[in-house]
Structure formats: C-alpha cells, structure tokens
Amino acid sequence: MGMGTFIDVETGENEGTKELTEPFITQEKVAAKDEVEFNEISNKGTIGMVVLSTAVAVCGSFSFGSCVGYSAPTQSAIREDLKLSISEYSMFGSILTIGAMIGAITSGHIADFIGWKGAMRLSALFWITGWLAIYFSKGALSLDIGRLCTGYGCGVISYVVPIFIAEIAPKNLRGGLTTANQLMIVLGATVTFLLGSVVTWRTLALTGLIPCVLLLFGLFFIPESPRWLAKMGLHKEFQVAMQKLRGKDADITQEAAEIQDSILTNKSLPKARMVDLFQQKYIRSVIIGVGLMVAQQFGGINGIGFYVNETFAAAGSSGKTGRIAYACVQLPITFLGAILIDRAGRRPLIMAAAIGTFSGCFLTGMSFFLKSHELLLDWDPMLAVAGVLIYIGSFAIGMGSVPWVMMSEIFPINVKGVAGSFVTLVNWFGAWVVSYTFNFLMDWSSSGTFFLYAGICAMTILFVAKFVPETKDRTLEEIQASINL
C-alpha cells in the first residue's frame, strides 16, 4: 500500500534520499559545513519543538495504520452482524483505497492552500466522521461512506506527514525523525490487529478516534512549516516559526536565507504538467517509478493484509493466532529495513524483499493446493501461516518503503511534484484493484490466487535487475544521469 512520499514539493529538494535515513549522531567523516550546522543547533538551540511537532504529526501516521488494519480482524463479525455478502464486504474493504486516491490527488492543492497543519486538521475531521459512520452503521451504505471518509484522510496524510517532518527538521536529524512516519503506520496497523482480537468491531472503530483527537489537539501547540509560510509570503510568521523550531537562542540567519533562495529558485522553473512526464528525457524515470509501485501493490499486499484473518481461517489455522503473529512480525522488521536501506542499498534490499515475497506466496499457495487434494493435512495450516509471515516480513523490510524512497530520488527537480502525484495515484489504484478482487480470487482458487501473486513477485525480481539503478551514496545529478544513459 502507499505509505507516503518523501518529496519536498515546496522547495523541490529531495527529501527521500540519504538525508532521510542519516543517523541521529553524525560521524567525524561528515563535511565541515555539516559539523558547523549541527554544532550550532546543538549548542545554541534546542530540538524540543521539532520533536514535539514530529510526535503530533505521526499521530496522523498512526491513524493511517489504524484504517489500513481495521478490515482484517473485523470481517467475520461485520458480515455476520450486518448480513453482508462477500461482494458487499469486498467493497467495504477496498473503498478505503478509492478515498485515498481522491485524497492523494487533492492533497497537494489542499496543502498549498491551507498549509500542512490545515491539511492534517482536514484529515483528522474526515477520520472522525468516518469512524463515527462505521460505529453507527446499520447496513452496507453507511459502512462504505465511513470507510470512504477514512480513506480520504489516509490519502491526504500519506502525502503531508513525511513532507511536513522533512521541512521542519534540521538536516542532521531529518533521517531519524522521518522514519517515525513509516514506523507509526505499521504500529497503528499492529495495534488495530491486536485490539481486534479482544474487542468488538464497533468498539474498535471508536478506538480509531483517539489518535485523531490527539492530532487535532496537538496541532494547536506546534508551528506551521516555515517553508510553506515563506512560500505564501508570510515573512514575519516564517521567522517566528523558524525560531520556535530551532530554539530561542539559535542563529537561524543562514538556514532562513537558504530556504528563501531555494523557494525563489523553484519558482523560476517552468511548471511541469502531467503530459511532460512522457517526454523522452523523463520516460525511463517514469517506468521505474510506476514499475516499482505496480510491483509493490500487485504482489498482493492489500489483499493479504486486509483479509489476513479469513486467509488463515481458510487454510485451517486459527485466524486469531495467525493475526497476532502477523502483527508482531511487521514492526521490528520495518525498523530493521529503515536501518538497512542506507547500508545494504536500495537495489539489493528490494531484490531480497521480492525473493522473500515470492517465497511466501509460493508456500501459501502450496498449502492451499495440498489442502484441496487432501495431502499433508496436518502440515497445511502451518505452511500457510509460515508463508504469510515470510511474505509480510519480506514486504516490511524492503517492498513497503524502498519504492517510495527511490521515487523521491529518480525524478528531476522540476517534475517531482507532478511525478509524485502520478506515481502515488498509480499506487493507490493498484491497492484498490488488489483489495477489491482478493475475495473473488480466493473463491475462484485459493492456491491460484497466491501462485498469481508469486508470479508477479518473480517478475519484480526481473524488473529490478533490468531497470532499477542503485541510488545509495549518489547525488541526484548522478542518479538522473545514470537513468538517462
């Protein structure tokens, strides 16, 4: 599923590359300029407001994860209580991604008009409306309206939160703080999975309100992104926000000047249109970006994730036990992936992840195949659980985050905004297709469904080997030059 882009659309700077995963404490090898900047922040200012602002923003990330994780533990109970058909529940599960597509398309314009804080407030209001609609639902229509609203909030927040964090954070802290976005998405899904094992589906919907309220409340105490304020010509507010974020004793003169210069530079560039992406000089970058998103989504993640409870039950395993194991696997492996991305490199990590997702899907498909032929019946449930857990672990370590990071690295500065919107739309469209068709595919053939996903994962390996360059430890200019060779 789409987890969020790492593109600084306000300045055109790349916020998803090496800087996003730099360690909190720099090594002695860094450039002298970076040491001076870091020491100035450490000695003359504080990062308390940056940490607080990040903590508030990732309440939105947690809410995103809660929405994604809601349908898996509630499928049986909702279908039984509201007498929903498989088609009606498939619509409920997948309509979140339709709302997210709408949110992704409109998020840039919304953030430009009302700011990053305003966009986060809007997301929280849509989430609150959606969760209440689900809680009071008496039939499929109100369920779908509620799910659509929560999806819209997810689409907006997936764009806004990583950019907001990247814009407020000092350079040498940006990496560690930005990874909190992905970790909180996974944590939100994990907590929802686990709570769904002990509370009713209506109560679980009410728990989704908690991070939304915290987000709304917290936004009153943090500043707006200085870059957005500068872009809007609010120079006094820009200076106040910068001082709050860096500390009252920090010297913000140089950083403020750099931000102003970058905004002027970005404004001088021609405004890109969607059709410009298909020019020869951009087409290979588009193929790589779209290909990675297609590989991420059509490998089955949203079908498996949204309906994992029923998948385990269909394999003859305990849905509750499997769901808990699924939830517990995600968080630590996502954290491990964040550590490895700048050490192992993007290309090796996504290749290893694709091999793992292929293996997981193949094992799960084999378990259903053996069960349908009444072979090794005692082993089939364990094989299915093992396959799904291998799949989820492999996805978490690379397939979930690496496509988003690479997307922010491969596009030139003047097309990053429109390219990011296009690739995000492709991602959410793929999420809708997979989440809507999963139950129908499982009715057609459980083993065939997972063998189909395994085939797509195998093609991902070939695609990465043929088209995707390594971007680790390379400047943007070097990356784009290698793509256009």
Side-chain angles (χ1 to χ4, degrees), residues 58-110:
V58 296
C59 288
S61 307
F62 188 97
S63 290
F64 181 174
S66 299
C67 295
V68 170
Y70 180 77
S71 60
T74 58
Q75 179 170 352
S76 297
I78 290 178
R79 287 192 62 193
E80 182 179 345
D81 288 355
L82 301 183
K83 306 296 187 282
L84 300 185
S85 67
I86 189 72
S87 177
E88 288 173 325
Y89 193 82
S90 292
M91 175 57 72
F92 169 70
S94 64
I95 202 171
L96 177 138
T97 57
I98 296 176
M101 282 191 279
I102 299 170
I105 294 169
T106 60
S107 57
H109 297 293
I110 291 170

Side-chain angles (χ1 to χ4, degrees), residues 132-470:
L132 289 176
I134 291 171
Y135 176 78
F136 289 109
S137 290
K138 301 297 183 183
L141 179 61
S142 55
L143 269 179
D144 290 344
I145 292 173
R147 186 76 164 165
L148 185 70
C149 288
T150 60
Y152 183 84
C154 290
V156 173
I157 216 73
S158 66
Y159 177 87
V160 168
V161 168
I163 298 176
F164 175 76
I165 296 172
E167 289 194 359
I168 66 171
K171 178 178 179 179
N172 287 43
L173 300 178
R174 187 176 295 141
L177 292 174
T178 307
T179 55
N181 173 60
Q182 180 71 14
L183 289 172
M184 289 298 286
I185 292 173
V186 174
L187 182 61
T190 300
V191 170
T192 303
F193 270 38
L194 298 177
L195 283 177
S197 302
V198 296
V199 301
T200 67
W201 64 272
R202 293 189 190 274
T203 302
L204 189 61
L206 286 183
T207 65
L209 297 174
I210 298 172
C212 305
V213 173
L214 291 175
L215 177 61
L216 282 175
F217 181 72
L219 288 171
F220 287 105
F221 299 96
I222 64 174
E224 179 58 89
S225 163
R227 284 178 169 83
W228 182 81
L229 294 170
K231 181 183 177 183
M232 300 302 292
L234 302 172
H235 301 296
K236 181 179 179 180
E237 291 84 351
F238 164 72
Q239 294 287 336
V240 171
M242 283 293 300
Q243 204 70 66
K244 283 183 178 180
L245 289 165
R246 299 297 177 257
K248 64 179 181 179
D249 297 322
D251 181 3
I252 62 170
T253 306
Q254 181 179 348
E255 187 178 4
E258 290 175 352
I259 290 173
Q260 296 277 19
D261 289 344
S262 66
I263 289 173
L264 289 174
T265 300
N266 193 46
K267 285 182 178 179
S268 68
L269 294 171
K271 187 173 182 180
R273 300 168 299 165
M274 191 74 72
V275 68
D276 294 332
L277 296 177
F278 300 97
Q279 296 178 18
Q280 185 176 356
K281 57 185 175 180
Y282 303 132
I283 192 63
R284 189 156 185 256
S285 296
V286 171
I287 290 172
I288 294 169
V290 169
L292 287 174
M293 294 306 174
V294 169
Q296 183 193 73
Q297 291 301 330
F298 284 89
I301 182 59
N302 275 303
I304 296 170
F306 281 14
Y307 308 112
V308 66
N309 199 48
E310 297 304 306
T311 301
F312 285 138
S317 177
S318 167
K320 181 176 179 179
T321 302
R323 186 171 69 244
I324 292 173
Y326 176 106
C328 293
V329 161
Q330 281 188 303
L331 189 61
I333 296 185
T334 300
F335 184 76
L336 177 62
I339 295 173
L340 290 176
I341 192 169
D342 264 343
R343 297 186 180 185
R346 281 74 155 144
R347 199 166 180 266
L349 198 60
I350 201 168
M351 287 278 282
I355 292 170
T357 54
F358 166 79
S359 302
C361 284
F362 186 80
L363 284 176
T364 307
M366 282 300 301
S367 73
F368 282 111
F369 178 80
L370 293 172
K371 182 183 178 183
S372 66
H373 290 78
E374 298 184 352
L375 300 172
L376 302 176
L377 294 180
D378 292 336
W379 290 89
D380 292 345
M382 289 186 288
L383 194 62
V385 171
V388 171
L389 294 183
I390 290 170
Y391 176 90
I392 290 302
S394 301
F395 187 90
I397 204 168
M399 285 300 297
S401 58
V402 173
W404 293 107
V405 174
M406 294 200 70
M407 187 208 38
S408 68
E409 297 174 325
I410 60 178
F411 292 110
I413 186 173
N414 58 313
V415 298
K416 275 189 175 180
V418 66
S421 296
F422 177 65
V423 174
T424 300
L425 179 61
V426 170
N427 183 277
W428 280 112
F429 176 75
W432 173 75
V433 170
V434 171
S435 59
Y436 183 73
T437 59
F438 181 80
N439 282 323
F440 297 108
L441 288 172
M442 289 290 284
D443 280 351
W444 161 67
S445 171
S446 299
S447 60
T449 300
F450 282 92
F451 288 146
L452 174 64
Y453 294 153
I456 294 172
C457 293
M459 288 190 287
T460 298
I461 300 169
L462 299 177
F463 174 80
V464 173
K466 176 68 176 177
F467 292 103
V468 178
E470 178 55 69

Side-chain angles (χ1 to χ4, degrees), residues 110 114 117-127 152-153 156 216:
I110 291 170
I114 61 177
K117 286 177 59 179
M120 285 188 273
R121 284 194 185 96
L122 184 66
S123 294
L125 292 175
F126 268 90
W127 276 326
Y152 183 84
V156 173
L216 282 175

